[in-house]
Amino acid sequence: MSLDTVVEDIREEAHARAENIRAEGETRAEEIESAAQEDAEEIVADAEADVEREIEQLREQRLSSAKLEAKQKRLEARRDVLGEVHDQVESELAALEGDAREELTRELLEAATVEFDEGDDVNVYGRSDDEALIDSILEGYDGYEYAGEYDCLGGVVVESEQSRVRVNNTFDSVLEDVWEDNLRDISNRLFEQ
């Protein structure tokens, strides 16, 4: 065997070995590239899922916020309507005249009298416009006298130092009691659903 043949064999062997190494390197590079591509696709999918979750969360928050705001506006509107109805009832009570006003004032005074003992000096207060009406009603009650003005829609405030009792039977107080006791029914009637 000649030296040239040995050199040629070594050269061929080195060339074959280099070709194997290059092929293995390409295979390994393809595997790394494929794994990186899979990782990248997974990262993109996870990011897209995160974005979709965030979008859904924001949508739910905004929807919830809008529903709450709408509910608050409905409640404010209802409160406004109830306030208007209350004001209208107050106006109608203040405007009562004649027999209706006298009958209500008389009934409110009579209801207050059960709180006082016979012989008590009883002071009766009422709306300044009702002084003459209250004076005429008090003519039938011994020991009762009109004692002055009370800022109210009508009715009477009755008190006695002997009994240490004060009874507020004004249209205002009766309206507030009735209003509080029946607010749910009033609201249901106004806003039937």
Side-chain angles (χ1 to χ4, degrees):
M1 211 182 220
S2 78
L3 189 57
D4 285 339
T5 309
V6 170
V7 168
E8 190 57 36
D9 283 346
I10 291 174
R11 197 178 279 153
E12 282 178 16
E13 195 178 305
H15 188 64
R17 196 162 207 236
E19 195 55 37
N20 279 343
I21 291 172
R22 187 187 62 73
E24 285 177 9
E26 283 180 6
T27 302
R28 181 70 184 130
E30 286 175 5
E31 288 173 358
I32 291 172
E33 185 180 332
S34 177
Q37 182 66 31
E38 287 176 16
D39 287 349
E41 288 172 2
E42 191 176 313
I43 290 169
V44 167
D46 287 348
E48 286 175 350
D50 287 346
V51 167
E52 287 298 320
R53 273 192 300 277
E54 280 186 44
I55 289 170
E56 183 61 25
Q57 245 181 348
L58 283 172
R59 189 184 76 71
E60 288 297 324
Q61 286 174 347
R62 287 187 177 158
L63 183 61
S64 236
S65 180
K67 284 181 181 179
L68 180 61
E69 187 177 334
K71 185 176 183 177
Q72 287 173 336
K73 286 186 179 188
R74 270 194 316 275
L75 288 174
E76 285 175 22
R78 284 183 176 194
R79 223 180 352 262
D80 290 346
V81 169
L82 286 169
E84 289 171 14
V85 169
H86 189 274
D87 292 347
Q88 184 179 351
V89 171
E90 281 185 342
S91 295
E92 289 178 18
L93 284 173
L96 276 177
E97 295 179 348
D99 292 341
R101 184 171 208 84
E102 181 179 346
E103 183 179 337
L104 283 174
T105 305
R106 191 177 295 280
E107 286 178 15
L108 291 170
L109 177 63
E110 187 59 35
T113 61
V114 298
E115 299 295 327
F116 302 98
D117 296 328
E118 193 173 317
D120 283 354
D121 293 324
V122 179
N123 293 319
V124 179
Y125 300 87
R127 190 172 84 151
S128 61
D129 293 349
D130 290 345
E131 181 177 354
L133 170 64
I134 293 170
D135 275 337
S136 71
I137 293 171
L138 291 178
E139 288 175 4
Y141 292 88
D142 286 336
Y144 285 68
E145 70 174 290
Y146 182 77
E149 179 181 340
Y150 188 83
D151 184 22
C152 61
L153 302 172
V156 292
V157 173
V158 185
E159 66 182 12
S160 168
E161 286 186 29
Q162 289 99 337
S163 297
R164 294 185 180 182
V165 174
R166 181 179 190 149
V167 179
N168 184 344
N169 273 358
T170 59
F171 292 178
D172 312 66
S173 66
V174 173
L175 172 60
E176 290 311 310
D177 290 344
V178 170
W179 187 262
E180 290 301 318
D181 291 345
N182 296 290
L183 184 57
R184 182 173 296 234
D185 291 336
I186 294 167
S187 182
N188 288 340
R189 284 185 184 174
L190 288 173
F191 309 110
E192 287 181 17
Q193 298 176 355

